[in-house]
Amino acid sequence: MIPVTGFESRHVAVLGLGRSGMTTARALQVGGAVPVCWDDNPEARARAEAEGFEIRDLMAPGGFGEIVSLIVSPGIPHLYPDPNKVVAAAWAAGVPVDNDIGLFFRSFGSGDWDYFDSPPRVVAVTGSNGKSTTSALIHHVLDAAGKKAQLAGNIGRGVLDIEPPEDGDVIVLELSSYQTDLARALTPDIAVFTNLTPDHLDRHGGKGGYFAAKRRLFAEGGPDRAVIGVDENEGRYLANQLSQGPGDDRVIRVSAAAKLTGPGWNVFARKGYLSEYRKGRQAGSIDLRAITGLPGAHNHQNACAAYAACRSLGLAPRVIEAAFQSFAGLPHRSQTIAEQGGIRFVNDSKATNVDSAEKALQAFSNIRWICGGLQKEGGLGPLQDALGSVKKAYVIGREAAGFALQLDGCEAEVCTTMAQAVAQAIKDAEPGDTVLLAPAAASFDQYDNFEQRGDDFAACVMAALGL
């Protein structure tokens, strides 16, 4: 655990007592602070009280008495669409509001570092799509190269729950916009921006607010090196803002859509090949086409970002390539779960919106597409250009019939349940086909989360195949 420093013997309020909040309370206590906890859920309060933490209704008269800071869990809104009432009360009381990410960065260093040959470093990854895969891939490469690394943040362990770093360690953090938006300290050594597509717009007051939350990772502390995906205008703008000139190699531009030229440091993927260029000369290349854990252009973008981060950490191209070959991918993200009779079964349950589903459809050919669920705003229109590789759609969900009607020009069968969709897709499939779960919708009409939906798909496939 990372002890939170700077609050010794002082009272710090923790709002929200899920995994993040409870870890924060413990880390504050280990660092010598006095945590004061609150959650609207009585069961969550009871669990915290059972651990010996003080429980206090912060909205009661005098609730913020002695409180020097309020630490807010990521799921609690602090500005849009409306600030949580406790956050607003903290503003009125003049109490600074922060989150566990801010506490991590202000507490990460220690006096022991004076005796290290190589101070620990932090790689922080943000963006709309691909940040989990990019973070996991960086961690995998470091591990395969024999480097001690820990994976935390929005993936793996909570940031304050990791082991105190040792000489030469690397901490890889996946950070969501909810986490970067509020943190009062953001000082990674290497910061990675994958891409930007509209998401969480209510929480950030629109696309501009959403991008501003991501941009804080680069603007607040100034990383030593920034890896920036430049396939959207926001990435191009960010790279330009951070660069001091055309040859400034503190900014590594990354693309899966275009060849990048110029005197700077560039990493791009074209036709399945990753290329690294520095000062106009090629410095490395990897054939990504046969790497099963990284299928499709969207994963090639993730590979470019991870490659650039690992090169910044001093790893050689051939070391990175060897580690890419053994990367199995993340569960529920373009994950191959079985192959039988020339038919491939891929679980991309994380494709909960149209943009991510489109990327999944572009990654494969001859697709038997399992889709549907709780549809998000905007409709399915943007998917039309990606339906050429779909042989047939098998639609699940409570509103499967309405979902199917939007798939113009694509043969669709209303199946409703996962078991029925998998059974029919297998019945229709031929050698060379891919049975792909990429729902383009949320899971909450039938499942608790996208992980449960992906697990159900895998279980249905395994049962049908007798595996």
Side-chain angles (χ1 to χ4, degrees):
M1 176 165 283
I2 304 294
V4 173
T5 58
F7 296 106
E8 291 77 5
S9 302
R10 293 190 287 176
H11 291 71
V12 178
V14 178
L15 178 62
L17 300 175
R19 185 192 73 162
S20 171
M22 289 303 298
T23 299
T24 298
R26 297 179 191 118
L28 283 162
Q29 189 175 63
V30 170
V34 182
V36 176
C37 301
W38 183 255
D39 193 298
D40 289 338
N41 185 337
E43 294 180 0
R45 297 199 300 268
R47 288 193 296 268
E49 192 170 28
E51 285 196 35
F53 291 114
E54 177 184 345
I55 303 299
R56 183 191 301 181
D57 183 353
L58 297 167
M59 293 303 296
F64 276 96
E66 301 180 328
I67 299 297
V68 298
S69 184
L70 172 66
I71 310 303
V72 179
S73 294
I76 297 173
H78 56 271
L79 186 56
Y80 300 112
D82 294 295
N84 180 276
K85 61 183 180 181
V86 177
V87 172
W91 295 347
V95 173
V97 181
D98 203 349
N99 63 12
D100 60 337
I101 304 301
L103 295 182
F104 168 82
F105 278 110
R106 67 178 284 172
S107 305
F108 182 59
S110 74
D112 294 339
W113 288 21
D114 294 339
Y115 304 99
F116 289 169
D117 292 331
S118 301
R121 286 178 286 182
V122 176
V123 179
V125 181
T126 195
S128 296
N129 298 309
K131 57 184 180 292
S132 294
T133 297
T134 300
S135 301
L137 184 56
I138 294 168
H139 179 263
H140 174 80
V141 172
L142 291 167
D143 186 63
K147 307 290 185 182
K148 187 174 180 183
Q150 299 184 68
L151 180 63
N154 206 43
I155 185 174
R157 303 166 71 177
V159 291
L160 295 172
D161 197 35
I162 65 173
E163 300 300 321
E166 299 177 357
D167 196 333
D169 283 5
V170 180
I171 310 301
V172 184
L173 302 180
E174 179 199 339
L175 299 181
S176 71
S177 59
Y178 290 10
Q179 294 169 310
T180 58
D181 196 20
L182 187 59
R184 296 171 72 92
L186 287 167
T187 53
D189 298 279
I190 300 169
V192 180
F193 176 84
T194 58
N195 51 56
L196 194 90
T197 57
D199 207 356
H200 309 303
L201 300 189
D202 287 346
R203 175 65 182 263
H204 296 293
K207 188 176 181 181
Y210 176 53
F211 175 55
K214 301 287 189 184
R215 184 178 178 274
R216 292 190 76 246
L217 182 63
F218 304 84
E220 291 300 308
D224 295 334
R225 180 154 278 127
V227 176
I228 309 293
V230 294
D231 288 338
E232 295 88 28
N233 283 331
E234 290 82 1
R236 290 187 279 270
Y237 166 83
L238 182 58
N240 183 268
Q241 286 278 298
L242 296 172
S243 175
Q244 296 299 313
D248 187 354
D249 67 0
R250 293 174 303 171
V251 177
I252 307 177
R253 291 169 173 81
V254 165
S255 176
K259 180 178 179 179
L260 300 179
T261 59
W265 195 348
N266 302 299
V267 179
F268 59 90
R270 293 188 70 197
K271 299 180 180 179
Y273 286 88
L274 179 153
S275 297
E276 175 192 5
Y277 276 76
R278 299 187 71 172
K279 298 180 180 178
R281 299 171 64 92
Q282 187 167 8
S285 65
I286 298 175
D287 184 352
L288 300 172
R289 295 173 299 173
I291 300 177
T292 57
L294 296 167
H298 61 303
N299 273 310
H300 293 176
Q301 183 185 55
N302 300 334
C304 288
Y307 176 96
C310 291
R311 290 287 283 140
S312 297
L313 292 167
L315 297 184
R318 295 294 79 113
V319 171
I320 300 171
E321 179 178 16
F324 278 9
Q325 297 291 345
S326 60
F327 182 66
L330 288 179
H332 316 296
R333 296 165 174 86
S334 296
Q335 176 194 21
T336 297
I337 59 171
E339 291 189 54
Q340 189 177 92
I343 303 167
R344 183 178 182 182
F345 296 84
V346 177
N347 170 18
D348 203 341
S349 184
K350 184 63 169 65
T352 59
N353 57 42
V354 168
D355 180 74
S356 53
E358 179 184 18
K359 288 179 170 61
L361 292 175
Q362 292 170 341
F364 304 96
S365 58
N366 302 321
I367 297 172
R368 304 285 175 178
W369 180 31
I370 298 177
C371 57
L374 189 62
Q375 191 172 331
K376 297 185 177 181
E377 294 183 9
L380 303 179
L383 281 174
Q384 291 303 314
D385 291 342
L387 296 180
S389 57
V390 176
K391 297 177 77 171
K392 184 177 177 180
Y394 306 82
V395 189
I396 63 173
R398 295 178 185 172
E399 300 177 355
F403 195 101
L405 287 174
Q406 299 178 64
L407 301 176
D408 295 336
C410 176
E411 182 183 358
E413 180 172 341
V414 175
C415 296
T416 307
T417 68
M418 184 69 73
Q420 184 180 345
V422 169
Q424 191 60 47
I426 290 175
K427 180 180 178 181
D428 295 344
E430 302 170 334
D433 286 357
T434 295
V435 177
L436 170 67
L437 171 66
S443 59
F444 304 122
D445 60 333
Q446 292 181 305
Y447 302 95
D448 290 340
N449 48 55
F450 73 84
E451 293 97 339
Q452 189 182 81
R453 176 172 59 190
D455 289 341
D456 189 27
F457 170 71
C460 290
V461 169
M462 296 304 181
L465 299 181
L467 298 176

